[in-house]
Amino acid sequence: MEEDKGLKKEKKNIPVLPWMRNPVDITTFDQCSLDLLPFIDLRLVAALKNMSITSLFPVQLAVWQETIGPGSFERDLCINSPTGSGKTLAYALPIVQMLSTRAVKCLRALVVLPTRDLALQVKEVFSALAPAVGLSVGLAVGQSSISDEISELIKKPNVEYGICYDPEEFSYELQSAVDILVATPGRLMDHINNTDGFTLEHLSYLVVDETDRLLREAYQSWLPTVIQLTSSSVDGNFPSAADLLPCTYGSLKTIRRMGTERGFKGKAYPRLAKMILSATLTQDPSKLAQLDLHHPLLLTTGERRYKLPEELKSFKVLCQSKLKPLYLVSLLQSLQGEKSIVFTSSVESTHRLCTLLKFFDNLQIEFKEYSRLQRQSVRSKTLRAFRSGQVQVLISSDAMTRGMDVEGVRNVINYDMPAYIKTFIHRAGRTARAGLSGCCFTLMHKDEVKRFKKMLQKADCNSCPTYSASSEVIESLRSVYTSALEKLRENVESEKFKKSKIRLKSSNVRKEK
Ligand SMILES: Nc1ncnc2c1ncn2[C@@H]1O[C@H](COP(=O)(O)OP(=O)(O)OP(=O)(O)O)[C@@H](O)[C@H]1O
């Protein structure tokens, strides 16, 4: 019986897609010193050293082998590698290296991310590398007004009274001002639909970071649109005379033809090469089919589908549900101001918890709320303060869960236990990044322990000791807690009252109109 169960479990773990069953195992790669990395442009070595990077992490070396190395990017790459393992540089470096020899500026690489904060973070990595080889990087996330964004992305010809002073811009055509674009799907679609001169015609590389999250949400069909715009082809085998005009006499043309060779049949080429990445990459064939991958190759870490960072220590904190805030305060005090992120299950509970903590006198911890309830400008300011160390603790909804890379985060606290292993992995992965150590504490009732252990087993984690809060500290906090709860109740009432007043006012304004 036990054997049967084991077999069934193993079968369940085998991916449906055949190509996923023969992955490249990233654990077979070591770190590689930059001085030993084959083919790397020396200007990029200098840029990396400026970033204090002297060697490549295993996932970065594995991707290098498949792109710049012998793999020559002949297959699309699907990268499943733990949080903090360095996936951003794994795709940024080969793309910048491949584009470093380009002769004409046009948009050749597009990186799509699910949130603005993540896109900003990734843009910084590209911006630290690309200028070293004369490439420009743009951002389309809606951080600035659309007109400002357009002027950053599109180069206007230098024309006065109908005279063009720059012979290179003879054609008066609008041209891309960037070689690489980092975008969120919404703003990308705005530019595709409305921005003159914005074209994906010349796109050679597409990166879909946090793939499972991006595939879950359709975002105005951004993916089918990108694929359609980059796979249209010209008919016939030979380009027309107009197509062959040198680019100084007209705009640059990228000619994609229908493939006839084995493996390329019916597909446009030169093809759009794709890299998709996540710490929890989907294995769902119907979802992956949307990406129209070309002979995909999976790069993954070990045999397990999910993996936690090597240096992450996980603890459970047992407590009664109604005493959770007390246990949290006691835990935060024992962490003595170490940079930490506290995750709750919703934006509302983030707000409530934050308000409650404000009523704890003498807490002596600098903490801030970070959730989608807040305006982007407030969130960005909070994030800056957290990065700089001015704020020690972030109380966050799942807005911080994926991809965010904040130096020095030592602890993650699951105030509310996550329902899924994927959420646990992304939350816990905000610490123990880039080979450093970190701790993840999960508060739970004793009835939840069994479910929690089962969930962790999916990530091959079988050890999760109990962290015992000091009962003396808990007792000493009780009276403060009672009065803080009372103040919270009053606060909730007054917030409700304010909201209903605002609603009434706006409905009166509407009636008057
Ligand atoms: N070769 C390297 N040497 C030193 N540090 C590195 C190297 N590569 C990346 N890092 C650092 O490691 C950290 C994690 O990198 P990155 O954000 O790319 O991880 P990730 O795999 O994308 O994580 P997540 O899945 O959470 O998004 C970053 O702070 C980055 O600067």
Side-chain angles (χ1 to χ4, degrees):
M1 268 305 260
E2 276 299 304
E3 230 169 73
D4 270 6
K5 261 191 194 168
L7 265 177
K8 258 189 201 164
K9 237 186 204 172
E10 246 171 56
K11 264 194 181 164
K12 228 178 127 188
N13 280 331
I14 297 175
V16 178
L17 290 165
W19 60 264
M20 286 201 132
R21 295 181 204 151
N22 294 306
V24 170
D25 186 354
I26 296 166
T27 59
T28 59
F29 289 80
D30 278 329
Q31 289 210 15
C32 172
S33 158
L34 289 180
D35 300 323
L36 300 177
L37 192 67
F39 312 118
I40 189 164
D41 189 310
L42 291 179
R43 294 169 294 172
L44 291 177
V45 173
L48 285 164
K49 288 188 176 166
N50 260 342
M51 296 160 77
S52 307
I53 290 176
T54 51
S55 60
L56 289 196
F57 286 166
V59 66
Q60 295 159 356
L61 182 59
V63 175
W64 186 263
Q65 296 273 42
E66 297 302 333
T67 49
I68 310 297
S72 309
F73 220 149
E74 277 167 12
R75 302 172 70 175
D76 286 343
L77 303 181
C78 305
I79 300 145
N80 184 51
S81 173
T83 52
S85 58
K87 293 188 286 296
T88 315
L89 194 62
Y91 60 77
L93 187 59
I95 286 180
V96 174
Q97 164 90 21
M98 283 184 283
L99 296 184
S100 62
T101 51
R102 66 98 184 91
V104 180
K105 187 174 286 299
C106 56
L107 180 55
R108 294 180 204 259
L110 171 66
V111 183
V112 187
L113 291 120
T115 65
R116 191 186 292 188
D117 288 334
L118 270 183
L120 282 164
Q121 197 176 282
V122 167
K123 198 232 171 192
E124 265 183 33
V125 176
F126 274 102
S127 297
L129 293 173
V133 290
L135 298 170
S136 326
V137 189
L139 188 68
V141 295
Q143 183 179 238
S144 45
S145 71
I146 186 97
S147 55
D148 285 351
E149 220 171 71
I150 292 171
S151 58
E152 297 272 307
L153 301 182
I154 306 295
K155 196 163 89 182
K156 288 212 177 95
N158 191 9
V159 180
E160 244 175 61
Y161 306 114
I163 302 164
C164 179
Y165 291 110
D166 183 348
E168 276 192 21
E169 286 159 351
F170 178 72
S171 66
Y172 304 148
E173 296 245 359
L174 296 170
Q175 285 171 4
S176 178
V178 298
D179 305 274
I180 300 161
L181 179 66
V182 182
T184 50
R187 255 305 156 91
L188 173 66
M189 287 305 288
D190 286 346
H191 288 297
I192 289 176
N193 291 327
N194 307 314
T195 302
D196 285 342
F198 184 87
T199 174
L200 299 184
E201 182 194 353
H202 314 294
L203 206 66
S204 304
Y205 305 103
L206 171 68
V207 177
V208 184
D209 201 345
E210 300 295 352
T211 312
D212 40 337
R213 162 88 195 274
L214 276 171
L215 290 184
R216 219 175 36 228
E217 290 160 67
Y219 293 117
Q220 310 167 35
S221 310
W222 72 273
L223 183 56
T225 308
V226 170
I227 295 203
Q228 195 251 321
L229 290 174
T230 49
S231 56
S232 52
S233 60
V234 294
D235 290 333
N237 286 328
F238 298 102
S240 68
D243 288 335
L244 290 173
L245 276 179
C247 54
T248 40
Y249 293 108
S251 62
L252 173 77
K253 286 251 180 296
T254 290
I255 301 157
R256 296 187 210 264
R257 279 188 235 103
M258 276 301 177
T260 47
E261 297 159 42
R262 196 166 166 259
F264 280 94
K265 229 172 185 168
K267 291 197 173 182
Y269 77 94
R271 73 180 176 91
L272 174 69
K274 300 177 197 114
M275 283 194 249
I276 67 166
L277 308 96
S278 176
T280 54
L281 194 71
T282 181
Q283 294 188 344
D284 182 338
S286 64
K287 287 202 176 123
L288 290 166
Q290 298 171 45
L291 289 151
D292 189 28
L293 296 169
H294 173 78
H295 295 290
L297 178 67
L298 176 66
L299 288 83
T300 189
T301 310
E303 284 176 8
R304 282 279 174 164
R305 182 170 171 200
Y306 301 123
K307 204 167 181 304
L308 289 163
E310 294 284 338
E311 298 304 322
L312 179 81
K313 287 199 186 91
S314 206
F315 298 93
K316 52 187 184 298
V317 183
L318 301 180
C319 58
Q320 290 173 35
S321 306
K322 60 180 183 189
L323 294 183
K324 262 162 71 171
L326 273 189
Y327 279 77
L328 174 67
V329 170
S330 139
L331 177 58
L332 288 175
Q333 284 182 340
S334 70
L335 296 176
Q336 298 180 336
E338 285 182 352
K339 233 184 214 183
S340 307
I341 306 175
V342 178
F343 283 107
T344 71
S345 57
S346 66
V347 287
E348 290 80 15
S349 51
T350 296
H351 183 62
R352 222 177 308 126
L353 180 62
C354 228
T355 315
L356 178 69
L357 291 186
K358 280 181 197 152
F359 296 131
F360 268 79
D361 298 329
N362 287 330
L363 198 55
Q364 292 180 338
I365 296 167
E366 286 302 323
F367 62 91
K368 275 247 152 48
E369 178 177 346
Y370 182 90
S371 90
R372 285 189 218 285
L373 264 189
Q374 302 165 305
R375 268 179 292 134
Q376 177 69 40
S377 57
V378 176
R379 285 217 309 258
S380 301
K381 197 172 159 207
T382 303
L383 198 54
R384 274 199 303 276
F386 187 54
R387 283 192 197 279
S388 72
Q390 223 177 313
V391 165
Q392 298 158 327
V393 176
L394 272 197
I395 315 281
S396 175
S397 64
D398 280 327
M400 256 315 269
T401 304
R402 272 181 186 259
M404 291 309 297
D405 183 59
V406 177
E407 202 184 333
V409 174
R410 300 273 298 125
N411 311 288
V412 163
I413 302 171
N414 287 313
Y415 180 77
D416 293 318
M417 187 173 123
Y420 305 103
I421 185 64
K422 283 191 178 190
T423 317
F424 182 87
I425 286 173
H426 288 286
R427 283 185 184 180
R430 295 320 98 211
T431 185
R433 298 175 72 72
L436 298 175
S437 62
C439 295
C440 176
F441 300 88
T442 305
L443 274 65
M444 70 190 82
H445 187 263
K446 63 179 180 353
D447 294 346
E448 293 175 304
V449 172
K450 205 169 157 194
R451 184 165 72 86
F452 181 66
K453 279 188 172 168
K454 223 170 146 186
M455 183 170 74
L456 284 199
Q457 275 166 8
K458 290 186 184 161
D460 216 9
C461 175
N462 296 309
S463 149
C464 184
T466 304
Y467 173 87
S468 305
S470 148
S471 50
E472 272 170 31
V473 175
I474 300 284
E475 278 315 308
S476 69
L477 288 167
R478 267 186 194 265
S479 64
V480 190
Y481 178 44
T482 314
S483 79
L485 269 183
E486 193 47 49
K487 286 178 193 160
L488 176 70
R489 240 169 253 135
E490 285 164 18
N491 184 279
V492 169
E493 287 306 316
S494 92
E495 276 190 3
K496 254 192 210 163
F497 181 67
K498 269 187 211 157
K499 269 187 195 158
S500 64
K501 244 173 118 179
I502 292 170
R503 261 201 301 270
L504 191 71
K505 221 174 168 182
S506 56
S507 81
N508 284 343
V509 170
R510 266 201 305 274
K511 271 183 202 161
E512 274 170 28
K513 274 185 184 169

